[in-house]
Amino acid sequence: MTTTTETLDVQPTPLALLLLGRESDPRSERGVECPGDLPAPSDPDLVERARAAKARLGDRVFVLGHHYQRDEVIEFADVTGDSFKLARDAAARPEAEYIVFCGVHFMAESADILTSDRQQVILPDLAAGCSMADMATAEQVAECWDVLADAGVDGVTVPVSYMNSSADIKAFTGRHGGTICTSSNARRALEWAFAQGEKVLFLPDQHLGRNTAVRDMGLSLDDCVVYNPHKPNGGLTTEQLRAAKMILWRGHCSVHGRFSLESVEDVRARIPGVNVLVHPECRHEVVAAADHVGSTEHIIAMLDAAPAGSAWAIGTELNLVRRLAKAHPDKQIVFLDRTVCFCSTMNRIDLPHLVWALESLADGKPVNRIQVDAETEHYAKLALEQMLALP
């Protein structure tokens, strides 16, 4: 069955104005803000300017494109991938003087941590942040650790931080003997952490932590508590902290957090035999109702291997779902939700910003360099290296 972008069956309704930053979405989880409008569509002659600037730079520049980027940006990426794959790809190109990261801020920080001091990491638009990463600040996490200490459980708690976190949070994790994880290796990270201690403080995405612990490792929902940094003592009693095995930070992805059980039920009613494939950042009830769960790379691999004529409803960012539908016209690929759900901050990186960054570099005037200070880099790298050492 041939599938085009239009058959993704999504409409820009008022509920989807998160895309434009003009409204909040009443169906999404609370605490998510996406300020500002997306940049205007690219002028056609920017394509030629991007090609010319990249040609002038040659091997001096290496452009990374996250899977959630617009097609107009992906066209100029030397490699595409998820956040950690791209950071490692950058580290594997020491000859590149400039690393242009078409992603969001925490990703550029990770690339700066893993690359050499002679390399400069550039983020084309500094407004490209991550609402999830912003939900855990260094001050809040330090206060949380004090709460754990007051409850007498800090000595038996191992921090595990998702890759989608700031350099400060990665450094906190390194200082306290923890590890970083991705959505692909979260189970291995948790198994390692429980071998080191009795409890895990999982930052900053509660859903990935809960889904990995309950779905993949057999813990119960009662083993998990949610620490809310906006409430005294995280909204938890000493008894709750002492009884819990998973202390989940109250954070979430503004894109994956909006998918609901109703979304799953609706698509099953509309498309008999559909395979529901979702990212583990989705809510627990969505993951429990899905047929398949996996990281961005896993989602891509599953669709690559899927038989012709099969039907798939994908619960992840819309740019990627559209790209997958275009790449697999022999399969029916639809977006899990009926309304548009781009990652608005990821979409800050557009062709005008990329051209500006590339032309500035070609003129010898680097812009928007991302630099992590030496101490933060040291401890963040400890946590990242622990992840690389996971069995």
Side-chain angles (χ1 to χ4, degrees), residues 204-276:
D205 180 21
Q206 61 169 306
H207 298 309
L208 177 62
R210 182 184 294 107
N211 289 328
T212 304
V214 176
R215 179 180 182 274
D216 297 338
M217 298 180 63
L219 276 69
S220 72
L221 290 174
D222 291 337
D223 291 324
C224 307
V225 295
V226 177
Y227 182 95
N228 185 343
H230 303 292
K231 291 184 177 181
N233 297 316
L236 299 169
T237 65
T238 297
E239 290 72 23
Q240 287 176 309
L241 288 170
R242 290 175 177 171
K245 293 183 179 179
M246 288 287 292
I247 303 168
L248 306 168
W249 191 264
R250 188 178 180 271
H252 56 268
C253 170
S254 59
V255 170
H256 294 107
R258 71 159 286 112
F259 296 117
S260 65
L261 183 58
E262 290 75 19
S263 301
V264 178
E265 293 169 346
D266 175 71
V267 80
R268 290 198 191 283
R270 288 187 289 118
I271 307 176
V274 68
N275 296 279
V276 178

Side-chain angles (χ1 to χ4, degrees), residues 151 293 355 359:
V293 182
V355 168
E359 289 182 340

Side-chain angles (χ1 to χ4, degrees), residues 12-252:
T13 70
L15 291 179
L17 286 175
L18 263 178
L19 167 63
L20 299 177
R22 295 174 185 162
E23 301 286 348
S24 62
D25 185 343
R27 288 174 52 192
S28 291
E29 297 184 70
R30 299 299 183 262
V32 175
E33 296 294 337
C34 298
D37 292 344
L38 290 175
S42 304
D43 187 303
D45 98 322
L46 287 174
V47 173
E48 291 306 316
R49 288 174 59 184
R51 288 174 180 161
K54 201 172 178 208
R56 285 170 62 195
L57 287 160
D59 292 339
R60 296 172 60 210
V61 70
F62 191 51
V63 180
L64 309 174
H66 191 273
H67 287 305
Y68 296 169
Q69 289 291 303
R70 305 161 180 242
D71 287 344
E72 65 185 28
V73 171
I74 290 293
E75 179 181 350
F76 293 97
D78 293 303
V79 293
T80 59
D82 60 16
S83 58
F84 186 60
K85 175 183 180 296
L86 293 177
R88 287 202 298 182
D89 286 342
R93 291 293 293 264
E95 71 279 7
E97 183 180 350
Y98 302 115
I99 305 297
V100 177
F101 209 124
C102 298
V104 294
H105 196 273
F106 78 80
M107 301 178 186
E109 286 184 328
S110 296
D112 185 59
I113 289 167
L114 293 174
T115 52
S116 69
D117 291 340
R118 64 168 291 276
Q119 294 176 289
Q120 298 186 43
V121 176
I122 306 297
L123 184 65
D125 187 351
L126 293 180
C130 172
S131 59
M132 181 202 297
D134 291 344
M135 289 178 191
T137 68
E139 294 78 12
Q140 289 172 331
V141 175
E143 182 179 341
C144 172
W145 200 253
D146 289 341
V147 170
L148 298 185
D150 290 342
V153 299
D154 59 316
V156 294
T157 302
V158 179
V160 175
S161 292
Y162 190 23
M163 191 72 184
N164 299 28
S165 58
S166 69
D168 286 338
I169 301 308
K170 291 182 176 71
F172 166 88
T173 305
R175 285 189 184 95
H176 292 87
T179 187
I180 308 302
C181 75
T182 68
S183 53
S184 299
N185 69 5
R187 176 173 182 169
R188 294 202 304 277
L190 288 185
E191 289 172 343
W192 173 86
F194 280 119
Q196 317 304 310
E198 299 173 11
K199 304 174 186 294
V200 167
L201 171 62
F202 195 90
L203 301 151
D205 180 21
Q206 61 169 306
H207 298 309
L208 177 62
R210 182 184 294 107
N211 289 328
T212 304
V214 176
R215 179 180 182 274
D216 297 338
M217 298 180 63
L219 276 69
S220 72
L221 290 174
D222 291 337
D223 291 324
C224 307
V225 295
V226 177
Y227 182 95
N228 185 343
H230 303 292
K231 291 184 177 181
N233 297 316
L236 299 169
T237 65
T238 297
E239 290 72 23
Q240 287 176 309
L241 288 170
R242 290 175 177 171
K245 293 183 179 179
M246 288 287 292
I247 303 168
L248 306 168
W249 191 264
R250 188 178 180 271
H252 56 268

